[in-house]
Amino acid sequence: MWFREDLRLGDNPALAAAAATGLPLLCVYIDEDARDGLRALGGAARWRLDRARAALEADLARFHGRLHCFRGAAEAVLPDLARAANVTHLLFNRRHGGAERAVDARVAERLAAAGARVESFNGALLVEPEQIATRSGGAFKVFTPFWRAARARLDAAEPVPAPEKLTFAALPVGTPALAPARPGWAENFPDPDAGEAGALTRLRHFTDEKLDGYETMRDRIDCDGTSNLSAHLRFGEISPRQIVAALRGRPAEKFLSELGWREFSAHLLHARPDLPWRNFNARFDRFPYRSDPEALLAWTRGRTGYPIVDAAMRHLWRTGLMPNRARMIVASFLTKHLLIDWREGESWFWDTLIDADSANNAASWQWVAGSGADAAPYFRIFNPVLQGEKFDPDGAFVRTHCPELARLPKRYIHRPWSAPAEVLAGAGVVLGRDWPAPIVDHDFARRRALEAFGAIAASSGE
DNA sequence: TTTTGAGTTGTTCGA
DNA sequence: GTCGAACAACTCAAA
């Protein structure tokens, strides 16, 4: 059993099939080399992965089993292991990235050539890309029709129970072990409550306490109205089928459609493996992005002078997480206010988010930037002040992450530069010393972004 | 093949 | 302060 992004025992079809063979099991995880297009995990995700893997090891230990971890290229590790251990079957759950699929195909070919039976399963998605298509047979490019088609098939997505019994083979070769990842800045992240048990607890908490208010509270940056399941999903500590099953019979369309966006992103990446580095809409190849390392640095460090942007970016740095609404605000700010290429933001998120996922990250950045599938209309440019006032109305989120502004009254918390001198003095804030001037003026930036979009409009000619 | 309706998440302006 | 309209034109999906 080759574990990859499915680090759980429940609703794990490959593991269930492995158990059903009755054969002794070798559970393997490979820390795969970043080559042949495989992207090295970012620092935060890597930190999170170690916790997921440790939790799976503990779960397997309850069956007196082990997770054998290797490092290298799967095409080399698995055939060697197959020879050494007389492996007769290889089972795994499918991945959907381009490079990952290529690796899996080569592995399957080699193992099959060595006489092993290779089987793969769907453990990651509610509906796999091969299962739905438009009438003309193509991949969907607009969310609504995509989700209409996928949503209709949800009843067929029943979770597979966790195996009741597992027997394990001894590993005849030496016992490899991964050196712990360098913790770096991530060592101070809050406890992710990793693993299958943590994920199920989080799901139950969500369905019991938060589902009813989800539609309105999901956007509140100060209230934690989201499910917080993203990292659990990312490493497969829980499956989308298990979530759908837990939601059955409850009004949960809005939340289901968020799972739908996760599916849509995976389908887009399947259709366009270059999604993480190439504009989905080629017209954006002409978009006049600016090179501005100083502004990019200010954005990453939370020093743009816009409180909601800076609070969100500091929160990301401290926790490896950011609520969805905040992700949209900071992404819009980078691509539209600063006119910096979405790939810069995508790669910062890739390195700092514990839930970084190549499909979701790329599809969402492109969506905000306007280059993606079903992208935001060109005129949708978030005003960071209005967004702050709407979704962090008392400024609680800003006060937590930007303590230098903590004493500002809420009227000015999202726009310190417009506070009267006596208000600033009363709050102990000196602009330019305690808080930077806005890196760019909103009205100016908005007009500049609209002009940039005009420059690549189709009517402007090829 | 042609036509038609529609498209996650917003902001600003003027009445 | 509230409300509706305007803000490019385009491409997709399905009739």
Side-chain angles (χ1 to χ4, degrees):
Chain A
M1 168 69 198
W2 181 18
F3 282 98
R4 295 102 64 82
E5 297 174 348
D6 49 357
L7 307 182
R8 63 177 181 273
L9 306 185
D11 192 35
N12 188 325
L15 181 67
T21 63
L23 295 165
L25 222 56
L26 273 179
C27 293
V28 174
Y29 184 90
I30 304 170
D31 192 16
E32 291 175 85
D33 292 339
R35 45 169 234 190
D36 298 328
L38 283 183
R39 191 174 183 182
L41 228 50
R46 186 160 187 84
W47 174 88
R48 180 63 178 76
L49 167 64
D50 278 332
R51 269 121 198 104
R53 199 163 46 197
L56 178 64
E57 274 167 11
D59 290 341
L60 288 171
R62 285 191 287 109
F63 289 88
H64 308 292
R66 281 200 51 192
L67 182 67
H68 302 286
C69 296
F70 298 83
R71 177 168 289 160
E75 298 99 312
V77 170
L78 288 169
D80 285 352
L81 182 64
R83 250 188 313 279
N86 288 320
V87 167
T88 56
H89 294 63
L90 172 71
L91 303 102
F92 56 84
N93 294 305
R94 288 186 281 276
R95 307 186 280 194
H96 299 91
E100 287 83 355
R101 279 191 290 148
V103 167
D104 294 354
R106 288 195 295 270
V107 167
E109 197 179 313
R110 290 195 192 174
L111 270 279
R117 185 163 160 195
V118 180
E119 281 186 88
S120 72
F121 302 83
N122 172 24
L125 295 174
L126 297 167
V127 179
E128 289 194 298
E130 294 78 10
Q131 293 179 277
I132 54 171
T134 65
R135 290 214 164 175
S136 53
F140 284 98
K141 292 175 177 167
V142 176
F143 175 73
T144 306
F146 164 80
W147 186 233
R148 244 198 312 272
R151 178 75 183 79
R153 296 170 145 267
L154 250 46
D155 288 337
E158 270 305 311
V160 184
E164 285 170 17
K165 201 174 137 217
L166 292 169
T167 56
F168 295 90
L171 191 69
V173 294
T175 26
L178 289 181
R182 284 175 296 113
W185 86 100
E187 65 190 321
N188 294 320
F189 283 174
D191 175 17
D193 199 11
E196 195 164 0
L200 293 171
T201 303
R202 194 89 58 123
L203 173 60
R204 200 169 316 114
H205 175 67
F206 176 66
T207 54
D208 288 352
E209 311 285 338
K210 295 157 88 177
L211 181 60
D212 291 335
Y214 178 74
E215 195 157 348
T216 48
M217 296 312 282
R218 61 186 293 266
D219 277 322
R220 282 290 292 270
I221 299 172
D222 54 337
C223 285
D224 190 30
T226 61
S227 73
N228 292 310
L229 287 168
S230 58
H232 296 297
L233 271 168
R234 167 64 179 83
F235 296 106
E237 297 170 350
I238 195 168
S239 79
R241 283 190 295 251
Q242 292 173 301
I243 298 175
V244 168
L247 260 29
R248 239 167 231 145
R250 308 246 340 237
E253 278 313 311
K254 187 68 197 175
F255 184 69
L256 280 176
S257 83
E258 297 304 320
L259 282 181
W261 277 92
R262 176 179 180 275
E263 300 279 313
F264 187 45
S265 300
H267 285 231
L268 287 172
L269 181 64
H270 179 92
R272 300 279 289 270
D274 57 3
L275 194 70
W277 61 89
R278 191 100 203 244
N279 286 314
F280 183 85
N281 178 345
R283 190 189 299 162
F284 276 74
D285 294 349
R286 293 187 281 124
F287 193 84
Y289 283 120
R290 298 182 321 125
S291 165
D292 189 342
E294 222 173 294
L296 177 61
L297 184 67
W299 179 80
T300 59
R301 297 301 138 119
R303 291 197 303 256
T304 67
Y306 285 91
I308 195 68
V309 173
D310 293 346
M313 294 305 289
R314 296 180 194 185
H315 178 251
L316 169 63
W317 184 252
R318 282 185 200 138
T319 65
L321 285 166
M322 200 190 291
N324 176 59
R325 168 61 52 175
R327 295 187 196 202
M328 288 191 289
I329 297 170
V330 302
S332 174
F333 191 85
L334 184 76
T335 56
K336 297 183 177 168
H337 285 73
L338 300 179
L339 285 186
I340 290 176
D341 196 316
W342 59 267
R343 297 163 186 92
E344 297 283 1
E346 195 272 350
S347 76
W348 182 254
F349 271 25
W350 179 258
D351 201 35
T352 56
L353 277 171
I354 62 172
D355 64 19
D357 170 271
S358 53
N360 292 328
N361 201 35
S364 304
W365 268 98
Q366 293 222 45
W367 184 86
V368 174
S371 64
D374 211 359
Y378 74 98
F379 51 79
R380 190 175 292 141
I381 296 166
F382 287 58
N383 178 329
V385 174
L386 291 184
Q387 288 282 315
E389 289 171 347
K390 224 189 249 178
F391 300 114
D392 180 27
D394 303 320
F397 182 75
V398 165
R399 285 174 222 282
T400 302
H401 297 287
C402 306
E404 59 270 50
L405 299 178
R407 291 162 61 205
L408 267 185
K410 77 175 176 191
R411 175 145 183 227
Y412 298 107
I413 189 76
H414 292 293
R415 51 170 114 211
W417 57 87
S418 58
E422 65 271 19
V423 172
L424 287 170
V429 177
V430 176
L431 290 178
R433 186 194 73 185
D434 307 308
W435 189 257
I439 192 171
V440 64
D441 173 71
H442 171 70
D443 291 324
F444 163 79
R446 181 168 202 279
R447 273 193 300 272
R448 183 173 65 172
L450 287 172
E451 253 171 60
F453 275 89
I456 62 159
S459 57
S460 72
E462 284 303 308

PDB file of all heavy atoms in Angstrom, chain A residues 60-84:
ATOM      1  N   LEU A  60      -1.514   3.228  12.539  1.00  0.00           N
ATOM      2  CA  LEU A  60      -1.118   1.893  12.075  1.00  0.00           C
ATOM      3  C   LEU A  60      -0.552   1.053  13.222  1.00  0.00           C
ATOM      4  O   LEU A  60      -0.719  -0.166  13.260  1.00  0.00           O
ATOM      5  CB  LEU A  60      -0.088   2.005  10.943  1.00  0.00           C
ATOM      6  CG  LEU A  60      -0.628   2.497   9.600  1.00  0.00           C
ATOM      7  CD1 LEU A  60       0.509   2.781   8.629  1.00  0.00           C
ATOM      8  CD2 LEU A  60      -1.593   1.481   9.000  1.00  0.00           C
ATOM      9  N   ALA A  61       0.095   1.739  14.149  1.00  0.00           N
ATOM     10  CA  ALA A  61       0.695   1.022  15.282  1.00  0.00           C
ATOM     11  C   ALA A  61      -0.373   0.321  16.114  1.00  0.00           C
ATOM     12  O   ALA A  61      -0.122  -0.710  16.742  1.00  0.00           O
ATOM     13  CB  ALA A  61       1.510   1.987  16.148  1.00  0.00           C
ATOM     14  N   ARG A  62      -1.582   0.865  16.109  1.00  0.00           N
ATOM     15  CA  ARG A  62      -2.661   0.209  16.844  1.00  0.00           C
ATOM     16  C   ARG A  62      -3.001  -1.143  16.242  1.00  0.00           C
ATOM     17  O   ARG A  62      -3.575  -2.006  16.889  1.00  0.00           O
ATOM     18  CB  ARG A  62      -3.888   1.123  16.908  1.00  0.00           C
ATOM     19  CG  ARG A  62      -3.694   2.278  17.908  1.00  0.00           C
ATOM     20  CD  ARG A  62      -4.967   3.035  18.178  1.00  0.00           C
ATOM     21  NE  ARG A  62      -5.335   3.867  17.025  1.00  0.00           N
ATOM     22  CZ  ARG A  62      -6.361   3.620  16.223  1.00  0.00           C
ATOM     23  NH1 ARG A  62      -7.150   2.604  16.441  1.00  0.00           N
ATOM     24  NH2 ARG A  62      -6.613   4.420  15.201  1.00  0.00           N
ATOM     25  N   PHE A  63      -2.644  -1.304  14.963  1.00  0.00           N
ATOM     26  CA  PHE A  63      -2.803  -2.618  14.310  1.00  0.00           C
ATOM     27  C   PHE A  63      -1.479  -3.388  14.323  1.00  0.00           C
ATOM     28  O   PHE A  63      -1.320  -4.357  13.599  1.00  0.00           O
ATOM     29  CB  PHE A  63      -3.249  -2.443  12.855  1.00  0.00           C
ATOM     30  CG  PHE A  63      -4.664  -1.961  12.684  1.00  0.00           C
ATOM     31  CD1 PHE A  63      -4.959  -0.602  12.669  1.00  0.00           C
ATOM     32  CD2 PHE A  63      -5.710  -2.873  12.545  1.00  0.00           C
ATOM     33  CE1 PHE A  63      -6.268  -0.172  12.496  1.00  0.00           C
ATOM     34  CE2 PHE A  63      -7.015  -2.435  12.367  1.00  0.00           C
ATOM     35  CZ  PHE A  63      -7.298  -1.089  12.354  1.00  0.00           C
ATOM     36  N   HIS A  64      -0.533  -2.870  15.089  1.00  0.00           N
ATOM     37  CA  HIS A  64       0.817  -3.443  15.141  1.00  0.00           C
ATOM     38  C   HIS A  64       1.501  -3.354  13.789  1.00  0.00           C
ATOM     39  O   HIS A  64       2.263  -4.246  13.399  1.00  0.00           O
ATOM     40  CB  HIS A  64       0.778  -4.887  15.645  1.00  0.00           C
ATOM     41  CG  HIS A  64       0.026  -5.015  16.938  1.00  0.00           C
ATOM     42  ND1 HIS A  64       0.492  -4.491  18.116  1.00  0.00           N
ATOM     43  CD2 HIS A  64      -1.192  -5.549  17.203  1.00  0.00           C
ATOM     44  CE1 HIS A  64      -0.395  -4.709  19.074  1.00  0.00           C
ATOM     45  NE2 HIS A  64      -1.441  -5.346  18.539  1.00  0.00           N
ATOM     46  N   GLY A  65       1.197  -2.298  13.067  1.00  0.00           N
ATOM     47  CA  GLY A  65       1.832  -2.099  11.775  1.00  0.00           C
ATOM     48  C   GLY A  65       2.720  -0.871  11.788  1.00  0.00           C
ATOM     49  O   GLY A  65       2.742  -0.110  12.759  1.00  0.00           O
ATOM     50  N   ARG A  66       3.451  -0.715  10.705  1.00  0.00           N
ATOM     51  CA  ARG A  66       4.346   0.429  10.593  1.00  0.00           C
ATOM     52  C   ARG A  66       4.143   1.114   9.255  1.00  0.00           C
ATOM     53  O   ARG A  66       3.665   0.518   8.296  1.00  0.00           O
ATOM     54  CB  ARG A  66       5.805  -0.031  10.664  1.00  0.00           C
ATOM     55  CG  ARG A  66       6.296  -0.331  12.060  1.00  0.00           C
ATOM     56  CD  ARG A  66       7.815  -0.271  12.062  1.00  0.00           C
ATOM     57  NE  ARG A  66       8.304   0.969  11.464  1.00  0.00           N
ATOM     58  CZ  ARG A  66       9.571   1.185  11.129  1.00  0.00           C
ATOM     59  NH1 ARG A  66      10.475   0.239  11.293  1.00  0.00           N
ATOM     60  NH2 ARG A  66       9.940   2.339  10.606  1.00  0.00           N
ATOM     61  N   LEU A  67       4.546   2.384   9.190  1.00  0.00           N
ATOM     62  CA  LEU A  67       4.617   3.089   7.921  1.00  0.00           C
ATOM     63  C   LEU A  67       6.091   3.207   7.575  1.00  0.00           C
ATOM     64  O   LEU A  67       6.854   3.836   8.313  1.00  0.00           O
ATOM     65  CB  LEU A  67       3.980   4.479   8.052  1.00  0.00           C
ATOM     66  CG  LEU A  67       3.943   5.310   6.773  1.00  0.00           C
ATOM     67  CD1 LEU A  67       3.013   4.689   5.735  1.00  0.00           C
ATOM     68  CD2 LEU A  67       3.488   6.745   7.073  1.00  0.00           C
ATOM     69  N   HIS A  68       6.486   2.583   6.502  1.00  0.00           N
ATOM     70  CA  HIS A  68       7.892   2.611   6.104  1.00  0.00           C
ATOM     71  C   HIS A  68       8.132   3.805   5.184  1.00  0.00           C
ATOM     72  O   HIS A  68       7.524   3.892   4.119  1.00  0.00           O
ATOM     73  CB  HIS A  68       8.271   1.313   5.396  1.00  0.00           C
ATOM     74  CG  HIS A  68       8.034   0.105   6.244  1.00  0.00           C
ATOM     75  ND1 HIS A  68       8.834  -0.232   7.312  1.00  0.00           N
ATOM     76  CD2 HIS A  68       7.046  -0.829   6.206  1.00  0.00           C
ATOM     77  CE1 HIS A  68       8.371  -1.330   7.884  1.00  0.00           C
ATOM     78  NE2 HIS A  68       7.273  -1.710   7.237  1.00  0.00           N
ATOM     79  N   CYS A  69       8.986   4.694   5.633  1.00  0.00           N
ATOM     80  CA  CYS A  69       9.201   5.931   4.874  1.00  0.00           C
ATOM     81  C   CYS A  69      10.524   5.902   4.134  1.00  0.00           C
ATOM     82  O   CYS A  69      11.561   5.588   4.725  1.00  0.00           O
ATOM     83  CB  CYS A  69       9.165   7.133   5.810  1.00  0.00           C
ATOM     84  SG  CYS A  69       7.559   7.357   6.587  1.00  0.00           S
ATOM     85  N   PHE A  70      10.475   6.213   2.861  1.00  0.00           N
ATOM     86  CA  PHE A  70      11.675   6.259   2.031  1.00  0.00           C
ATOM     87  C   PHE A  70      11.833   7.651   1.443  1.00  0.00           C
ATOM     88  O   PHE A  70      10.885   8.423   1.405  1.00  0.00           O
ATOM     89  CB  PHE A  70      11.573   5.263   0.871  1.00  0.00           C
ATOM     90  CG  PHE A  70      11.453   3.830   1.302  1.00  0.00           C
ATOM     91  CD1 PHE A  70      10.214   3.303   1.660  1.00  0.00           C
ATOM     92  CD2 PHE A  70      12.574   3.021   1.355  1.00  0.00           C
ATOM     93  CE1 PHE A  70      10.102   1.987   2.050  1.00  0.00           C
ATOM     94  CE2 PHE A  70      12.466   1.697   1.745  1.00  0.00           C
ATOM     95  CZ  PHE A  70      11.229   1.179   2.097  1.00  0.00           C
ATOM     96  N   ARG A  71      13.050   7.897   0.962  1.00  0.00           N
ATOM     97  CA  ARG A  71      13.274   9.143   0.236  1.00  0.00           C
ATOM     98  C   ARG A  71      13.885   8.803  -1.111  1.00  0.00           C
ATOM     99  O   ARG A  71      14.718   7.905  -1.190  1.00  0.00           O
ATOM    100  CB  ARG A  71      14.213  10.049   1.027  1.00  0.00           C
ATOM    101  CG  ARG A  71      14.550  11.340   0.307  1.00  0.00           C
ATOM    102  CD  ARG A  71      15.229  12.315   1.238  1.00  0.00           C
ATOM    103  NE  ARG A  71      14.267  12.835   2.210  1.00  0.00           N
ATOM    104  CZ  ARG A  71      14.609  13.387   3.366  1.00  0.00           C
ATOM    105  NH1 ARG A  71      15.870  13.441   3.725  1.00  0.00           N
ATOM    106  NH2 ARG A  71      13.688  13.842   4.184  1.00  0.00           N
ATOM    107  N   GLY A  72      13.455   9.505  -2.147  1.00  0.00           N
ATOM    108  CA  GLY A  72      14.031   9.261  -3.470  1.00  0.00           C
ATOM    109  C   GLY A  72      12.972   9.364  -4.545  1.00  0.00           C
ATOM    110  O   GLY A  72      11.952  10.017  -4.359  1.00  0.00           O
ATOM    111  N   ALA A  73      13.254   8.743  -5.674  1.00  0.00           N
ATOM    112  CA  ALA A  73      12.286   8.728  -6.771  1.00  0.00           C
ATOM    113  C   ALA A  73      11.446   7.470  -6.638  1.00  0.00           C
ATOM    114  O   ALA A  73      11.973   6.373  -6.482  1.00  0.00           O
ATOM    115  CB  ALA A  73      13.001   8.751  -8.109  1.00  0.00           C
ATOM    116  N   ALA A  74      10.143   7.630  -6.705  1.00  0.00           N
ATOM    117  CA  ALA A  74       9.252   6.475  -6.546  1.00  0.00           C
ATOM    118  C   ALA A  74       9.559   5.394  -7.571  1.00  0.00           C
ATOM    119  O   ALA A  74       9.474   4.200  -7.273  1.00  0.00           O
ATOM    120  CB  ALA A  74       7.797   6.931  -6.677  1.00  0.00           C
ATOM    121  N   GLU A  75       9.953   5.807  -8.788  1.00  0.00           N
ATOM    122  CA  GLU A  75      10.248   4.825  -9.844  1.00  0.00           C
ATOM    123  C   GLU A  75      11.430   3.944  -9.484  1.00  0.00           C
ATOM    124  O   GLU A  75      11.608   2.863 -10.045  1.00  0.00           O
ATOM    125  CB  GLU A  75      10.587   5.519 -11.167  1.00  0.00           C
ATOM    126  CG  GLU A  75       9.491   6.352 -11.745  1.00  0.00           C
ATOM    127  CD  GLU A  75       9.701   7.825 -11.405  1.00  0.00           C
ATOM    128  OE1 GLU A  75       9.957   8.123 -10.218  1.00  0.00           O
ATOM    129  OE2 GLU A  75       9.596   8.647 -12.319  1.00  0.00           O
ATOM    130  N   ALA A  76      12.286   4.437  -8.574  1.00  0.00           N
ATOM    131  CA  ALA A  76      13.436   3.635  -8.154  1.00  0.00           C
ATOM    132  C   ALA A  76      13.122   2.883  -6.860  1.00  0.00           C
ATOM    133  O   ALA A  76      13.389   1.687  -6.733  1.00  0.00           O
ATOM    134  CB  ALA A  76      14.659   4.531  -7.950  1.00  0.00           C
ATOM    135  N   VAL A  77      12.516   3.596  -5.912  1.00  0.00           N
ATOM    136  CA  VAL A  77      12.272   3.010  -4.595  1.00  0.00           C
ATOM    137  C   VAL A  77      11.347   1.790  -4.679  1.00  0.00           C
ATOM    138  O   VAL A  77      11.633   0.728  -4.126  1.00  0.00           O
ATOM    139  CB  VAL A  77      11.659   4.063  -3.637  1.00  0.00           C
ATOM    140  CG1 VAL A  77      11.169   3.404  -2.355  1.00  0.00           C
ATOM    141  CG2 VAL A  77      12.672   5.160  -3.337  1.00  0.00           C
ATOM    142  N   LEU A  78      10.245   1.940  -5.401  1.00  0.00           N
ATOM    143  CA  LEU A  78       9.243   0.879  -5.373  1.00  0.00           C
ATOM    144  C   LEU A  78       9.681  -0.407  -6.083  1.00  0.00           C
ATOM    145  O   LEU A  78       9.478  -1.499  -5.539  1.00  0.00           O
ATOM    146  CB  LEU A  78       7.903   1.405  -5.905  1.00  0.00           C
ATOM    147  CG  LEU A  78       7.214   2.368  -4.919  1.00  0.00           C
ATOM    148  CD1 LEU A  78       6.040   3.076  -5.571  1.00  0.00           C
ATOM    149  CD2 LEU A  78       6.759   1.640  -3.658  1.00  0.00           C
ATOM    150  N   PRO A  79      10.293  -0.316  -7.271  1.00  0.00           N
ATOM    151  CA  PRO A  79      10.771  -1.564  -7.882  1.00  0.00           C
ATOM    152  C   PRO A  79      11.812  -2.277  -7.009  1.00  0.00           C
ATOM    153  O   PRO A  79      11.775  -3.509  -6.886  1.00  0.00           O
ATOM    154  CB  PRO A  79      11.384  -1.105  -9.211  1.00  0.00           C
ATOM    155  CG  PRO A  79      10.665   0.159  -9.540  1.00  0.00           C
ATOM    156  CD  PRO A  79      10.401   0.814  -8.215  1.00  0.00           C
ATOM    157  N   ASP A  80      12.715  -1.519  -6.399  1.00  0.00           N
ATOM    158  CA  ASP A  80      13.707  -2.131  -5.503  1.00  0.00           C
ATOM    159  C   ASP A  80      13.013  -2.870  -4.367  1.00  0.00           C
ATOM    160  O   ASP A  80      13.341  -4.000  -4.028  1.00  0.00           O
ATOM    161  CB  ASP A  80      14.619  -1.057  -4.890  1.00  0.00           C
ATOM    162  CG  ASP A  80      15.641  -0.554  -5.916  1.00  0.00           C
ATOM    163  OD1 ASP A  80      15.704  -1.156  -7.010  1.00  0.00           O
ATOM    164  OD2 ASP A  80      16.338   0.427  -5.605  1.00  0.00           O
ATOM    165  N   LEU A  81      12.051  -2.177  -3.776  1.00  0.00           N
ATOM    166  CA  LEU A  81      11.340  -2.756  -2.649  1.00  0.00           C
ATOM    167  C   LEU A  81      10.545  -3.996  -3.086  1.00  0.00           C
ATOM    168  O   LEU A  81      10.503  -5.006  -2.387  1.00  0.00           O
ATOM    169  CB  LEU A  81      10.392  -1.703  -2.059  1.00  0.00           C
ATOM    170  CG  LEU A  81       9.599  -2.120  -0.831  1.00  0.00           C
ATOM    171  CD1 LEU A  81      10.538  -2.400   0.339  1.00  0.00           C
ATOM    172  CD2 LEU A  81       8.599  -1.040  -0.443  1.00  0.00           C
ATOM    173  N   ALA A  82       9.957  -3.883  -4.263  1.00  0.00           N
ATOM    174  CA  ALA A  82       9.153  -5.003  -4.772  1.00  0.00           C
ATOM    175  C   ALA A  82      10.012  -6.254  -4.924  1.00  0.00           C
ATOM    176  O   ALA A  82       9.591  -7.359  -4.574  1.00  0.00           O
ATOM    177  CB  ALA A  82       8.512  -4.623  -6.103  1.00  0.00           C
ATOM    178  N   ARG A  83      11.219  -6.045  -5.452  1.00  0.00           N
ATOM    179  CA  ARG A  83      12.131  -7.181  -5.610  1.00  0.00           C
ATOM    180  C   ARG A  83      12.523  -7.760  -4.262  1.00  0.00           C
ATOM    181  O   ARG A  83      12.447  -8.964  -4.022  1.00  0.00           O
ATOM    182  CB  ARG A  83      13.396  -6.733  -6.357  1.00  0.00           C
ATOM    183  CG  ARG A  83      13.494  -7.299  -7.771  1.00  0.00           C
ATOM    184  CD  ARG A  83      14.839  -6.979  -8.394  1.00  0.00           C
ATOM    185  NE  ARG A  83      15.256  -5.589  -8.234  1.00  0.00           N
ATOM    186  CZ  ARG A  83      14.825  -4.586  -9.019  1.00  0.00           C
ATOM    187  NH1 ARG A  83      13.990  -4.822  -9.999  1.00  0.00           N
ATOM    188  NH2 ARG A  83      15.251  -3.353  -8.807  1.00  0.00           N
ATOM    189  N   ALA A  84      12.927  -6.863  -3.367  1.00  0.00           N
ATOM    190  CA  ALA A  84      13.444  -7.317  -2.081  1.00  0.00           C
ATOM    191  C   ALA A  84      12.387  -8.005  -1.227  1.00  0.00           C
ATOM    192  O   ALA A  84      12.693  -8.892  -0.434  1.00  0.00           O
ATOM    193  CB  ALA A  84      14.040  -6.128  -1.318  1.00  0.00           C
TER     194      ALA A  84
END
